[in-house]
Structure formats: C-alpha cells, structure tokens
C-alpha cells in the first residue's frame, strides 16, 4: 500500500524537474540574423532589425540558436 502512495509523489517530482528545464527568453526584434555567439552554455543571436547597422544582441534557447542561421529572418527561423 505504501508503494501506491509513493508513485504519484515520484511522478509529481519528475514533472516539476522537467518543467524546470524549459527555457523561455522571450523574443528579440524582427530582422536578419547577422551573428551567432555562444558564451559557455548561453546562446545569443545578433539581429539587425532595420538594416541600418543598429544590431541587437539577445539570449535565446539552444534550440533557437541551432534553428537560426546567419542571414535568416528572425523570428521566422524559429517558427519553421
């Protein structure tokens, strides 16, 4: 009987641990990806929103980092 009460508790702990792994850094400005940088386990994209050289650097998840290549349109590259 004790095992049956332990199972839901273990499932709840596992669900919380997996929920903590999800990262949401929000969205950066729309534009072309001009550069990708990585600092340890932090991933960044540099986007030129107006094509006037005023680039913006912002943090993204590693999945968004790998989905967006230089020259691709952001945020379209993460939605494909």
């Amino acid at each position: 009987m004790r095992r049956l009460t332990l199972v839901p508790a273990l499932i709840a702990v596992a669900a919380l641990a997996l929920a903590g792994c999800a990262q949401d850094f929000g969205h950066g400005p729309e534009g072309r990806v001009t550069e990708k940088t990585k600092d340890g386990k932090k991933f960044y994209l540099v986007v030129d929103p107006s094509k006037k050289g005023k680039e913006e650097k912002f943090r993204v998840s590693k999945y968004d980092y790998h989905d967006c290549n230089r020259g691709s349109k952001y945020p379209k590259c993460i939605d494909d």
Side-chain angles (χ1 to χ4, degrees):
M1 186 68 172
R2 184 177 170 122
R3 288 185 200 169
L4 291 178
T5 58
L6 186 60
V7 170
L10 290 175
I11 291 173
V13 168
L16 287 174
L18 289 176
C21 293
Q23 297 176 336
D24 184 22
F25 297 106
H27 285 285
E30 292 183 12
R32 291 251 180 228
V33 177
T34 57
E35 189 177 342
K36 296 168 59 168
T37 59
K38 184 175 152 185
D39 181 17
K41 291 187 177 185
K42 296 178 184 175
F43 300 92
Y44 298 92
L45 291 178
V46 179
V47 171
D48 187 359
S50 62
K51 298 182 184 175
K52 295 180 182 175
K54 295 187 179 187
E55 299 174 331
E56 257 186 74
K57 180 179 178 180
F58 55 96
R59 190 168 174 195
V60 294
S61 71
K62 69 177 179 180
Y63 304 107
D64 292 347
Y65 177 84
H66 291 294
D67 287 344
C68 294
N69 297 313
R70 287 178 188 89
S72 62
K73 287 185 178 180
Y74 181 86
K76 187 178 183 327
C77 57
I78 62 172
D79 296 332
D80 290 341

